[in-house]
């Protein structure tokens, strides 16, 4: 199979992709790689690390020996928003050099691939065979290893669960230098799925896939007048759809608080396509716009400008439109069409804050949405979804309930203290914050959010007593 065609997303503060790719080691080499600056997709807190890019399991084993006393952490395409794939003063293992698809069973709907294969590349290869990835987040530029390590979720969690539910087995390089075959349902599997790369380096995985007849989506769109109207619509009819998400206006106040545009759909069957589209029903041709400028002025996305955008976005949405055919890239990954879209927040970057509160905690959700609105958080990328049953991952984020995600410019005055207050309210409501998007959570509230935290720490201590696998996030939260 061809190598992954999507280059790693490299922060503006880092060296060029070419220089990063050149930082390789040989299997029997102890030469230290190049030191680079690394940050998350939010670009808020870059740190320097020695970057190693193994191209085989043997090189990955050698990379562990080159990590040094500050340890190492695996990294994929750099789309974790915070500091989960950073390791100040230590090593970062860029796994995109391991990007082979080893076997596809087109009858059973399974694939065995390296951890560095992106979801984008899987779609390119699998869609012509009538298969689709079982879960995709808001970007397809995520590696399989990253999807497992963060146990990603998508618009179909209410019915399909998170990514780990569809992983049959993984190959895991542990701190002692051995490669273990880890089966679904074992303690090590549950600690690794959502474990933020801290149990070892995922080298390969076997996935179950979802059958499709076409590469188009049949989409229903409608407007909701306020937050209560939105929750009522989602509760009453979400079971009819495989995929569901709502864009929410977090600057709207008063009777319009939480007004939303609700988008839901499923894979279009072949007989729903017009005659011309049936000639190549499984074609995958995502479009792309020019990249965002490298430097944009600070304060471009303030409450006034975002408020105007939100007003226009809500007003242009149809009150009700049924059965619209959309490309997969339009429905699942609209932002992927703008390379480096994270630059629009300027040099200061942005914070993505995502939390979940359980069903029965709707009043807590109303209070939090109200507080965000009153604080005038200028977020034009804010979405609300319903989660179904959670999966067994000890640090997996999804749980049955309501999840809200929003992007906020990092230079918003008083943002840190405000988000600390929201953390307290989320924890008091038996909810949790998503670690894959976190860059500032305090360790003292973590235990209240993740009840299996002590089990995770105990397994790590037994599996990795020297603390070889470390990240900026693991130090900050004492994981």
């Amino acid at each position: 199979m061809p190598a992954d065609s999507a280059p790693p997303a490299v922060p503006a503060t880092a060296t060029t992709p070419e220089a990063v790719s050149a930082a390789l080691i040989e299997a029997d080499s102890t030469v230290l790689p190049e030191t680079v600056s690394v940050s998350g997709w939010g670009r808020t807190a870059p740190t320097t690390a020695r970057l190693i890019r193994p191209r085989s399991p043997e090189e990955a084993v050698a990379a562990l020996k080159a990590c040094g006393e500050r340890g190492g952490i695996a990294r994929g395409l750099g789309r974790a928003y915070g500091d989960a794939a950073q390791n100040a003063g230590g090593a970062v293992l860029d796994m995109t050099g391991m990007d082979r698809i080893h076997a596809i069973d087109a009858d059973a709907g399974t694939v065995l691939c390296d951890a560095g294969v992106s979801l984008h590349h899987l779609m390119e290869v699998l869609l012509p065979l009538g298969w689709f990835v079982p879960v995709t987040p808001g970007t397809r530029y995520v590696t399989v290893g990253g999807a497992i390590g963060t146990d990603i979720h998508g618009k179909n969690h209410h019915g399909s669960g998170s990514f780990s539910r569809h992983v049959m087995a993984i190959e895991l390089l542990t701190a002692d230098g051995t490669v273990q075959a880890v089966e679904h349902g074992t303690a090590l599997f549950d600690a690794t799925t959502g474990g933020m790369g801290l149990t070892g380096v995922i080298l390969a995985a076997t996935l179950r896939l979802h059958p499709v007849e076409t590469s188009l989506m049949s989409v229903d769109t409608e407007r909701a007048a306020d937050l209560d109207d939105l929750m009522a619509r989602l509760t009453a009819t979400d079971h009819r759809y495989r995929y569901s998400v709502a864009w929410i206006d977090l600057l709207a106040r008063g009777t319009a608080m939480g007004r939303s545009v609700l988008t839901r759909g499923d894979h279009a069957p072949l007989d729903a396509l017009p005659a011309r589209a049936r000639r190549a029903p499984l074609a995958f041709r995502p479009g792309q716009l020019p990249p965002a400028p490298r430097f944009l002025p600070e304060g471009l996305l303030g409450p006034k400008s975002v408020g105007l955008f939100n007003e226009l976005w809500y007003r242009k949405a149809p009150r009700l439109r049924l059965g619209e055919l959309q490309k997969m890239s339009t429905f699942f990954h609209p932002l992927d069409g703008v390379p480096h879209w994270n630059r629009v927040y300027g040099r200061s970057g942005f914070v993505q804050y995502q939390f979940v509160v359980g069903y029965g905690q709707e009043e807590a959700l109303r209070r939090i949405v109200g507080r965000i609105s009153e604080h005038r958080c200028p977020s034009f990328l804010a979405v609300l979804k319903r989660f179904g049953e959670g999966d067994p991952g000890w640090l997996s984020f999804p749980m049955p309930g309501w999840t809200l995600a929003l992007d906020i410019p990092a230079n918003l005055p008083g943002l840190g203290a405000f988000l600390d207050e929201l953390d307290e309210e989320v924890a008091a409501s038996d909810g949790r914050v998503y670690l894959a998007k976190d860059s500032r959570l305090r360790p003292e509230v973590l235990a209240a959010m993740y009840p299996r935290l002590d089990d995770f720490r105990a397994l790590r201590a037994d599996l990795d007593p020297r603390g070889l696998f470390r990240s900026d996030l693991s130090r900050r939260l004492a994981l």
Side-chain angles (χ1 to χ4, degrees), residues 64-106:
L64 292 189
K65 300 176 183 178
C67 284
E69 62 182 24
R70 292 284 290 180
I73 193 71
R75 181 181 176 91
L77 286 165
R79 293 305 178 100
Y81 285 79
D83 54 3
Q86 300 173 213
N87 185 23
V92 169
L93 278 61
D94 176 359
M95 299 302 295
T96 58
M98 296 181 61
D99 59 358
R100 292 174 298 168
I101 296 176
H102 296 282
I104 298 171
D105 188 331

Side-chain angles (χ1 to χ4, degrees), residues 251-443:
L251 287 174
R253 293 189 282 190
T255 57
M257 186 188 81
R259 64 180 180 177
S260 308
V261 178
L262 178 56
T263 307
R264 295 182 285 189
D266 206 338
H267 299 277
L270 185 61
D271 59 12
L273 271 58
R276 184 174 181 180
R278 293 186 197 182
R279 299 172 190 169
L282 291 166
F284 180 58
R285 303 188 186 97
Q288 194 168 83
L289 297 172
R294 181 171 292 276
F295 300 110
L296 288 168
E298 297 289 326
L300 182 66
L301 298 178
K304 289 185 178 179
S305 60
V306 173
L308 177 60
F309 170 87
N310 287 0
E311 179 70 25
L312 294 174
W313 190 260
Y314 180 77
R315 294 297 175 189
K316 86 173 188 65
R319 293 185 182 276
L320 180 64
R321 182 173 60 205
L322 303 177
E324 180 190 16
L325 293 178
Q326 292 184 4
K327 289 183 176 181
M328 282 182 170
S329 55
T330 301
F331 182 76
F332 289 111
H333 313 120
L335 289 174
D336 283 347
V338 184
H340 303 292
W341 65 262
N342 56 340
R343 294 174 181 169
V344 303
Y345 290 90
R347 291 181 182 271
S348 298
F350 68 100
V351 172
Q352 177 152 120
Y353 187 73
Q354 183 169 4
F355 68 90
V356 58
V357 293
Y359 296 123
Q361 294 287 349
E362 286 75 15
E363 188 54 43
L365 179 63
R366 293 186 190 95
R367 286 196 306 270
I368 293 172
V369 169
R371 293 184 66 176
I372 293 170
S373 174
E374 291 302 317
H375 197 77
R376 311 308 291 157
C377 290
S379 178
F380 71 96
L381 296 174
V383 296
L384 183 75
K385 292 180 289 193
R386 292 175 72 248
F387 279 159
E389 289 299 318
D391 288 289
W394 293 352
L395 296 187
S396 184
F397 169 67
M399 55 179 270
W402 304 94
T403 181
L404 176 66
L406 61 151
D407 291 352
I408 315 169
N411 60 2
L412 185 71
L415 179 61
F418 176 66
L419 292 182
D420 285 346
E421 294 173 3
L422 293 192
D423 291 342
E424 297 286 352
E425 183 142 13
V426 168
S429 304
D430 296 323
R432 60 183 62 149
V433 168
Y434 192 14
L435 297 183
K437 297 184 177 180
D438 176 57
S439 59
R440 26 75 41 206
L441 185 68
R442 294 167 296 149

Side-chain angles (χ1 to χ4, degrees), residues 10 14 18 49 61 69 75 79 137 155 159-160 163 169 213 240 254 277 326 403 417 421 461-462 466:
V10 178
E18 291 78 14
V61 172
E69 62 182 24
R75 181 181 176 91
R79 293 305 178 100
K155 299 175 182 179
S160 300
F163 198 84
E213 295 181 12
R240 302 177 190 169
Q326 292 184 4
T403 181
E421 294 173 3
D462 183 58
R466 296 187 297 112

Side-chain angles (χ1 to χ4, degrees), residues 196-211:
M196 311 308 294
L198 297 172
T199 62
V201 179
I202 299 169
L203 300 179
T206 303
L207 315 176
R208 291 191 185 92
L209 305 170
H210 177 70

